[in-house]
Amino acid sequence: MSWNKVAVVGAGLIKMGELFDQSYEQMAAGAYRAALASVDTGTPAIDAAIVATQRGSLWGQEGIGGNTVPSALGLSGIPCTRVENACPSGSDAFRIGAMVVASGVHDVVLVIGVEKMRDKSTQEGLLARAAAGHPLYNRGETAPVLFAPFATRHMHEFGTTPEMLASVAVKNHHNGCLDPYAHFRNEVTVEQVLSSPMVCSPLRLLDCCPQTDGAAAVIVTSAERAHEFTDKPVYVAGFGVATDHPYLHEKSTYVGLPATTLASRRAYDMAGVAPDDIDMAEVHDCFTITEILDIEDLGFVEKGKGGPASLEGETALDGRIPVNPSGGLLAKGHPIGATGLAQITECFWQLREEAGERQVAIRNGVALQHNVGGRGSGVSVVNILTRNA
Amino acid sequence: MTGTLRPVGVVGVGVAAPSLRLAQSEVAQAWSAGGGRAQVAVCDGDEDTLTLAWQAARRALDAAGVESAAVSGLWWGTTRPPFAEGPSHAFLAGALDLPSDVEGCLCAGSPHAGMEALVSAWDALAAGHAEVALVVASDALVPGIGTGGEVATGAGAGAVVLVALPGDSNGAGPPAQLVSRISRTMAVVDRTRGDDDPGTGDVYDPRLFREGVYLPMVAAAGEALGTQERWSVSDPDGKLAAAAAKRLGGTLVSAAAQGAVGDAGAAAALLGAGEALGAAGSLGVVGYGGGRVTALSVDVRRPVPGADGVGEALSGGQAVGYVGALKARRQLRPQTDPIPMGVPPGGAAFVRGNAEMLALQGARCAACGTVSTPPSIHPHCINCGGTDLEVVRLARRGRVQTFVVNQTMPPPFQAPLPLVVLDLDDGARLMVQGISADAGDLAVGDEMTLVLRRYALERGIPIYGYKAVRVGGASGTAGAAGSAAAGAETAPTR
C-alpha cells in the first residue's frame, strides 16, 4: 500500500543550458513561476520553501542556508532551508519537503533546486572535485574518475562494451531532442560517441553529462488538500535514502552502487511496489555507465545485463522499461541541485500523460526517480510517484 | 685527518635513477650545435631529490634486511634539498617511516654534500652514538639553459646502510667496511648557484678547472688515501674521472653509472661505487665539490647486498626531447594561473594527513582484520564499525582491482594520469595515482608497487605521496619509471 500522504500539484523547470545571461536568482524565479503556472486551479499560498543547491557560494553568500531565495521569489518572510546532499540534493529536498508536509507543520511547501554550474570556469569546477577529499589520498579525482572505475570493472566482469555504453548516450540524446527543456537537442550516433575524445578512460566525451545551469521547482501539499489545486495530483508513493562509504577504495563492489540498491529497496517497500510495476524511470545518468549500473541496482534488469539491455532498446521510450525519457543528465543536463526536481517534474508530466512526443505508455501509474552521488557514490535517493490515489 | 678512525660496516646498498633520459643530440639540435652520444637522466615532473633519495634508501634497507625501526640516524647529502630551507630531512625520514627520535643531518651546499653525509654517519657510528646509519646521497642538477651543463649534469641517488662494528670484529663481520679516509680543501669558485639563480653555472674556464683545481685536488686526496684496486670518482663533465683514475692507477668503476645518468652531483661518487660493492677488493670513493674533496677506502670482502641490483636500477628510462626536459625541470612553464589545492599545506587537515600519508599508514581492526585507510578519517572500521584499531604500515605491493586513465584535469595534474584502485598484498585497499608510462596498457590484475612521488608544488611547497608503478611495466624497472612530461606533449588540453 502506497504511502500517498503528500501530493505534487505543480511542477516546472526552465530551459537548461549555459545560462550566462541569467543570475542564480533569475533561474530560481523562472522555475518557481513555471511550477506555479502548472497548477490547474487557484494559486497555492506557499508556507515554506526548501532549496536544493549543491555549491552554495559562487562569489559570496548567495544560496548559503537557503535564506536568500524567498526574497528572489517575492516570498520574503517564509521559512526556507537549504538541503545539500551531493548530486541527490534535489531529490533529497523533495523527500524532506514531503515529510515536512506529512508532519502537518506546513501545508504547502515549495521545493526548488537551483544550480549555477557555468559561472565558474570548467577548470575551477573540475578542480573543486580533483582537490576534494583527503588532502593527500584521492588526488586527481575529477568527476569522471568517480564512475569510470566501475566501467572498467563492469567491462572486465561482464563483457560490457563501449558500444553498450554508447547506446545509453544515443538513446538519451534522442529523448532530449523531444524535450524542449533539454540542454542538448541533437541526435548522436554510436560512432560519434565512440570517436569523441577520451575524457577518462573508458569514458569518452559523449559518455559524460555536460555542465549545465538550471532550476526546477515542485509544489507539494497534503493528499487531502491536493484536489483544491488539481484533478490530477501525483502522489508520493514512497522514498528511500541510503549511504555508502564515501571513498572509492572503500567500495565493496566495483560493478554496482550498493547505496542505490538499498535506497530502492526501502522505497519499493514503502510504496508497496516492485520494479516490474514501474512504468518509467528518471535515473542518474551522469555518465553512460551510471545508467547501466542504475537499471541493475534498481532491479529493472539482472546484475551484469545492463549493457545488453541498453543496446537492445529495453530502456527506450517504447521499451519494456523506458528510462530517462527527458533526455536524462546526458542530454537534459545536470544542474546538480535542480536535477532531482527536474526529474520529478518529468515523472509528474509522464504520469499525467502531458509529456507530448516523448510520452511513454502508463500502465500501472507508477514512476521512479533516482539520484546517486557524493565522492564515491556515497549517497543514493529514490522517490516513487504514483497517480493512483 | 688525525687520530685513529674505527672502521664501520657496509651491509646494504641501493641506487635510483629518475624516469627520463635526455640525449646529448636533442640538446645539440635545440641549439644547432654538434653533439655526441652521451645522455643524462632528468627528473620527471613528479620526481626530485627527495623521491630519488627515498627510492635508493628503500632499496638499500630492503637489501640489508634492516627494518625502518632499527635505523638510528639518517644522513642525507644533496645540493638541492626540496626545501631550500625547511623540513627536507623530516619529510624523507617520515616517508621512510624512520623512528621519531632518528638522528643525523642534511648536508648541502655543494656536490661534496654526499661525501659529507657519508663521513658524518661514519663518525656517529665510530663514536658509538649510533648503531645503524642510513646514508643517502641524491641529486637532480638543473643546468642553466644553453650552458654546457645541459649535456653533463644528470640526476640519481645512492644509499648505503652502515653499522657499527663490535670491538673485536674478527669474525665473519659485515660484507664490506669503510676503513680510511682523506679530505682536502681549497678556496676556489668553480661551480655555483646563488640564492637568486635558478640553474647551476660554471665560473671557470674548463681547462683552468681541470688543470688548476680538480685534477690536483683529486690526485692529492687519492694518493694520500693509498693504492686502491678500483676507483669511483665524481666527475662534473664526464671526461675528468678517467684522467684522475689514470693518475691514481687502478680501474675506474664509476664510468658506467656516469654514462647512464650523467653527473649525479652529490650522489655521483656513491652511485658510481654501487655496482663495485658487489665484488671483493679495495675500492676508493672520491667525491669532489665546492673546493672540497673527500676520498675514502672501502674494503669489500663479500658482495654487499643490493649491489647486484644496481645495473638494472640505472638502466632503462624513457627518452625525452629537449622541450619535455625543460618542462620536467620546470624551466618551461605555461603562463596560466595555477589553481590552488583545496586543502592548503598550511592547514590543519594537511598536517593531519601528511604524516600518515608519508608513512603509508592504515588502521587495522582488531575485531575483523579489515584495514581502513587513512586512519585519521576512520575512527570506526569500514567493515564492522569496530573502534579497536591499530595503526599499521601498509604493504607496498598489490594488484589492480580497477583503474581509469584520466585525460582531462586542471593543473597541476598532467595527462595521461592513471588512477588505480589497488588491492595490497596485506588485504588493504588504496586508490592512488599511477604514472603516465603505464597508461597505455594497464589492466585489471596487473601487479603494482608503490613509490614516493611529488604530487605537486603547491604554493611553492612540494607535496609528496605514493603512486602505483607497474612491476616490469613499460617504464622498465618499477620505481625508476614514468614520464608525465613526455605524455603531456601529446595530451589534449581542454
Side-chain angles (χ1 to χ4, degrees):
Chain A
M1 189 60 205
S2 290
W3 187 61
N4 280 23
K5 291 182 179 171
V6 174
V8 181
V9 297
L13 68 159
I14 60 171
K15 166 84 168 85
M16 306 287 193
E18 292 185 309
L19 307 180
F20 295 122
D21 59 340
Q22 290 188 42
S23 67
Y24 176 94
E25 290 78 6
Q26 287 169 320
M27 296 196 310
Y32 169 58
R33 289 176 200 147
L36 262 190
S38 76
V39 175
D40 294 329
T41 342
T43 304
I46 306 294
D47 292 332
I50 296 172
V51 58
T53 291
Q54 202 251 328
R55 279 186 240 181
S57 181
L58 295 165
W59 47 264
Q61 301 252 330
E62 84 290 1
I64 290 178
N67 51 58
T68 64
V69 174
S71 165
L73 307 183
L75 295 172
S76 188
I78 66 164
C80 180
T81 301
R82 173 176 157 225
V83 168
E84 191 286 302
N85 207 353
C87 288
S89 292
S91 36
D92 203 15
F94 178 78
R95 178 187 72 103
I96 291 165
M99 292 194 295
V100 165
V101 169
S103 75
V105 173
H106 295 296
D107 259 7
V108 182
V109 170
L110 171 72
V111 186
I112 182 165
V114 194
E115 202 77 46
K116 261 290 172 202
M117 300 291 287
R118 296 295 290 122
D119 268 22
K120 284 203 168 177
S121 73
T122 303
Q123 289 210 325
E124 285 177 276
L126 282 170
L127 193 70
R129 175 59 67 198
H134 193 275
L136 291 157
Y137 284 96
N138 304 89
R139 295 252 298 139
E141 291 182 14
T142 50
V145 176
L146 304 181
F147 290 92
F150 293 83
T152 301
R153 193 74 203 184
H154 208 274
M155 290 170 159
H156 178 77
E157 291 195 18
F158 302 121
T160 304
T161 64
E163 290 76 13
M164 292 174 188
L165 297 185
S167 70
V168 175
V170 171
K171 169 188 64 94
N172 290 352
H173 271 75
H174 172 74
N175 295 353
C177 290
L178 308 177
D179 182 351
Y181 296 95
H183 184 168
F184 291 146
R185 303 195 66 202
N186 60 294
E187 302 277 357
V188 299
T189 63
V190 168
E191 294 69 34
Q192 282 173 321
V193 178
L194 296 182
S195 60
S196 63
M198 191 65 86
V199 169
C200 179
S201 73
L203 301 179
R204 294 176 178 276
L205 186 62
L206 289 173
D207 286 302
C208 306
C209 70
Q211 295 203 57
T212 302
D213 297 321
V218 304
I219 298 166
V220 289
T221 188
S222 62
E224 293 76 36
R225 288 197 58 191
H227 285 280
E228 292 176 30
F229 306 109
T230 180
D231 292 335
K232 298 196 290 181
V234 168
Y235 300 96
V236 181
F239 42 72
V241 182
T243 55
D244 190 12
H245 300 299
Y247 287 87
L248 278 171
H249 69 276
E250 299 166 349
K251 297 287 138 183
S252 57
T253 170
Y254 295 92
V255 293
L257 303 174
T260 295
T261 307
L262 201 51
S264 65
R265 193 175 303 147
R266 289 170 183 161
Y268 288 135
D269 287 350
M270 185 171 171
V273 299
D276 285 349
D277 298 324
I278 304 297
D279 287 328
M280 55 77 62
E282 284 279 305
V283 308
H284 199 83
D285 59 328
C286 50
F287 301 95
T288 50
I289 181 62
T290 322
E291 181 169 314
I292 287 173
L293 300 174
D294 295 340
I295 61 176
E296 296 172 353
D297 295 333
L298 292 167
F300 298 151
V301 301
E302 203 180 310
K303 180 52 70 185
K305 304 285 199 233
S310 299
L311 193 64
E312 287 154 21
E314 286 193 46
T315 53
L317 289 179
D318 58 354
R320 180 173 65 80
I321 167 74
V323 171
N324 286 328
S326 72
L329 283 56
L330 286 167
K332 188 165 69 178
H334 184 21
I336 300 176
T339 295
L341 294 155
Q343 291 174 312
I344 298 279
T345 302
E346 179 70 12
C347 294
F348 178 76
W349 287 333
Q350 290 282 352
L351 288 173
R352 288 159 52 115
E353 303 194 53
E354 296 169 350
E357 285 183 276
R358 62 183 191 284
Q359 180 65 49
V360 305
I362 301 298
R363 290 178 290 260
N364 303 315
V366 186
L368 180 147
Q369 177 268 335
H370 159 260
N371 285 133
V372 62
R375 281 203 44 76
S377 299
V379 58
S380 190
V381 177
V382 171
N383 290 299
I384 296 177
L385 302 168
T386 181
R387 66 184 185 187
N388 309 326
Chain B
M1 192 195 80
T2 56
T4 306
L5 184 61
R6 291 177 55 178
V8 294
V10 184
V11 296
V13 61
V15 303
S19 301
L20 306 179
R21 299 293 183 276
L22 175 65
Q24 191 172 352
S25 57
E26 295 281 342
V27 181
Q29 192 181 5
W31 294 103
S32 304
R37 280 174 295 174
Q39 66 171 16
V40 295
V42 178
C43 281
D44 207 342
D46 61 357
E47 297 171 315
D48 65 10
T49 55
L50 190 141
T51 67
L52 291 173
W54 177 88
Q55 182 73 77
R58 263 289 27 116
R59 286 176 172 154
L61 288 170
D62 289 347
V66 169
E67 292 290 326
S68 293
V71 174
S72 31
L74 167 67
W75 283 263
W76 179 18
T78 179
T79 63
R80 284 190 174 256
F83 297 89
E85 180 178 342
S88 301
H89 186 275
F91 270 42
L92 180 57
L96 290 166
D97 202 22
L98 302 183
S100 60
D101 62 352
V102 72
E103 302 251 358
C105 64
L106 172 68
C107 300
S110 84
H112 190 252
M115 299 308 289
E116 291 167 18
L118 195 52
V119 300
S120 300
W122 184 350
D123 287 350
L125 293 170
H129 188 59
E131 286 294 315
V132 178
L134 175 59
V135 182
V136 55
S138 67
D139 235 334
L141 300 167
V142 178
I145 294 176
T147 68
E150 287 193 309
V151 296
T153 56
V160 287
V161 180
L162 304 181
V163 295
L165 296 176
D168 56 335
S169 55
N170 292 332
Q177 292 187 12
L178 307 186
V179 291
S180 61
R181 76 188 199 217
I182 291 289
S183 282
R184 288 285 184 272
T185 189
M186 180 179 178
V188 290
V189 189
D190 48 84
R191 173 166 287 187
T192 64
R193 171 168 60 93
D195 268 358
D196 297 331
D197 298 333
T200 301
D202 290 309
V203 173
Y204 292 153
D205 173 90
R207 291 287 303 162
L208 167 60
F209 176 67
R210 173 190 166 105
E211 300 298 330
V213 179
Y214 177 89
L215 285 178
M217 288 188 71
V218 168
E223 281 155 13
L225 188 69
T227 305
Q228 309 287 322
E229 294 166 54
R230 300 164 296 167
W231 295 95
S232 170
V233 186
S234 71
D235 183 346
D237 79 357
K239 303 181 193 81
L240 298 172
K246 198 169 178 182
R247 279 196 200 185
L248 294 171
T251 310
L252 181 69
V253 294
S254 49
Q258 179 113 15
V261 302
D263 172 28
L270 195 52
L271 189 60
E275 194 153 28
L277 291 170
S282 59
L283 171 64
V285 180
V286 187
Y288 170 83
R292 300 190 71 195
V293 61
T294 292
L296 61 81
S297 176
V298 190
D299 176 13
V300 185
R301 299 169 179 187
R302 301 187 305 281
V304 175
D308 54 353
V310 168
E312 192 191 340
L314 298 182
S315 69
Q318 277 202 302
V320 65
Y322 187 65
V323 169
L326 291 184
K327 283 158 79 176
R329 286 177 175 144
R330 296 172 53 78
Q331 290 175 307
L332 177 64
R333 290 192 247 175
Q335 192 175 348
T336 52
D337 289 335
I339 297 170
M341 195 166 86
V343 177
F350 186 87
V351 175
R352 288 194 298 270
N354 194 39
E356 65 188 355
M357 178 67 219
L358 287 176
L360 203 59
Q361 291 174 345
R364 185 181 294 279
C365 177
C368 73
T370 301
V371 179
S372 305
T373 57
S376 68
I377 61 170
H378 289 104
H380 287 256
C381 169
I382 60 165
N383 181 52
C384 74
T387 55
D388 187 1
L389 302 166
E390 181 201 0
V391 173
V392 294
R393 275 176 289 148
L394 303 179
R396 290 195 302 271
R397 283 220 175 196
R399 288 188 183 277
V400 175
Q401 162 70 220
T402 187
F403 71 98
V404 305
V405 179
N406 204 350
Q407 302 282 3
T408 314
M409 296 158 291
F413 301 102
Q414 286 193 316
L417 177 67
L419 288 137
V420 182
V421 176
L422 206 55
D423 289 332
L424 298 177
D425 289 350
D426 56 6
R429 189 178 270 169
L430 279 184
M431 183 158 179
V432 292
Q433 297 178 25
I435 60 167
S436 54
D438 290 334
D441 56 353
L442 203 58
V444 170
D446 279 356
E447 190 176 12
M448 311 291 281
T449 184
L450 293 173
V451 299
L452 191 75
R453 290 295 173 101
R454 191 178 67 194
Y455 281 179
L457 273 171
E458 177 67 31
R459 298 157 170 96
I461 294 175
I463 309 295
Y464 297 95
Y466 291 86
K467 291 189 178 182
V469 175
R470 187 162 47 179
V471 176
S475 53
T477 56
S483 170
E489 285 175 64
T490 54
T493 49
R494 278 185 294 274

